[in-house]
Amino acid sequence: MTEPGCSLLSSGPADEDREWTMEDYASALARWCPGCGDHAVLTATERVLETEQLPPEQTVFVSGIGCSSRFPHYLRTYGFHGVHGRALPIATGVKLRRPDLHVFVVMGDGDCCSIGAGHWIHATRYNLDMVALLLDNGVYGLTKNQTSPTSPQGKPSNTQPRGAILPPINPLSATLGVTNVSFVAQTGDWLPAHMYETILAAYRHRGFAFVRILQRCPQYTTDLFEGAVRDPGLVELLVHPDGVTVPSLDRIYKNRREHDPADLDAARRLAEPEGKIRLGVFYRNETLPVYDETRRTPTLSSAQK
Ligand code: SF4
């Protein structure tokens, strides 16, 4: 368990007027590999904390095990570097006990989509008011190049040297298929402005906000997103007033598709990539019951009737 620095723990009147800056949220120097996409995700997240002026002592980052799960060590908020695959149950406990806290969950693809898959499904169904970031690089990086559930079929690794045998799981489709799903988005670490807006939208969503971040691992999956990084024509941006719009990308990213995030059927269709990497908000629904609210309410919410 990591704690904010002592100077950040006091919550007297002086803190109410305090303006938090990105420097206030930064902690130890991040020790991911040079060029690792995790660095960009950390910076985008710090920007969101600053934009929303989240007090560090009211904010918690929970992670599992993996490269990205070092996240809590690099932030001066509360943090819980948990157990492999168990970030979501830990975060659920935090949120149920302290619904006043801002809870973020950081998981890798091995963490969330393999050993943690059961928790992922039920966290989506419980629809607790928190943000879940899936940093998906298609490999177990910390354990040095093992096939993960999102590794592309045929990709060689130390555990499957002749190539991944099975086709990869689709985290977007899987999440969109769960009862009570309320927010699903996808972004890429090479588009920091889009990533920032997406994490911000996720934080502002009331309910369980699942964000898949396509994350580059220059050590073991160098080529995974390289085509899309070099050729904006391989990317399609989902745009809508209720989604994420980034005007600074308009000139370069010409492939744009109007998609109303309220349309679940369309979201499920678009989750199948069809040769393109689609980025944006696939689905958003704030009318669904949020578990940390409904469990304190004796009657059924109107959405359940
Ligand atoms: Fe990042 Fe890959 Fe290095 Fe892990 S092994 S820190 S995911 S570049």
Side-chain angles (χ1 to χ4, degrees), residues 32-33 36-38 67 137 141-142 215-220:
W32 292 301
C33 303
C36 175
D38 291 354
C67 291
N137 55 22
L142 189 71
Q215 180 243 315
R216 290 170 294 174
C217 169
Q219 287 294 324
Y220 301 120

Side-chain angles (χ1 to χ4, degrees), residues 218-261:
Q219 287 294 324
Y220 301 120
T221 48
T222 324
D223 300 334
L224 191 52
F225 306 119
E226 205 48 34
V229 172
R230 291 178 185 277
D231 180 3
L234 297 178
V235 173
E236 183 174 79
L237 298 180
L238 302 180
V239 294
H240 191 273
D242 294 334
V244 165
T245 50
V246 187
S248 61
L249 297 180
D250 288 358
R251 206 165 50 84
I252 299 173
Y253 288 86
K254 306 287 188 196
N255 289 337
R256 312 165 74 77
R257 180 191 286 258
E258 280 286 330
H259 167 62
D260 182 353

Side-chain angles (χ1 to χ4, degrees), residues 14-140:
D15 275 358
E16 290 174 10
D17 300 327
R18 179 166 179 176
E19 186 172 338
W20 304 103
T21 66
M22 283 180 67
E23 288 69 37
D24 291 321
Y25 299 109
S27 181
L29 188 66
R31 297 182 64 184
W32 292 301
C33 303
C36 175
D38 291 354
H39 294 283
V41 182
L42 180 64
T43 302
T45 305
E46 288 170 348
R47 282 188 64 204
V48 170
L49 298 177
E50 181 188 58
T51 300
E52 297 300 287
Q53 286 292 292
L54 300 189
E57 76 278 8
Q58 294 289 317
T59 306
V60 187
F61 279 77
V62 181
S63 65
I65 295 294
C67 291
S68 59
S69 288
R70 293 198 55 77
F71 224 83
H73 296 276
Y74 304 143
L75 287 164
R76 288 182 88 190
T77 62
Y78 277 102
F80 201 128
H81 189 172
V83 187
H84 199 209
R86 313 299 180 219
L88 285 166
I90 294 169
T92 299
V94 171
K95 190 66 184 175
L96 291 180
R97 184 69 185 89
R98 289 290 305 274
D100 56 310
L101 299 181
H102 311 285
V103 178
F104 294 78
V105 185
V106 182
M107 303 171 285
D109 39 294
D111 207 27
C112 174
C113 306
S114 186
I115 188 171
H119 300 303
W120 165 31
I121 290 169
H122 289 288
T124 305
R125 184 172 71 96
Y126 273 51
N127 196 29
L128 286 140
D129 190 14
M130 61 171 70
V131 176
L133 303 178
L134 167 61
L135 280 66
D136 188 353
N137 55 22
V139 72
Y140 286 87

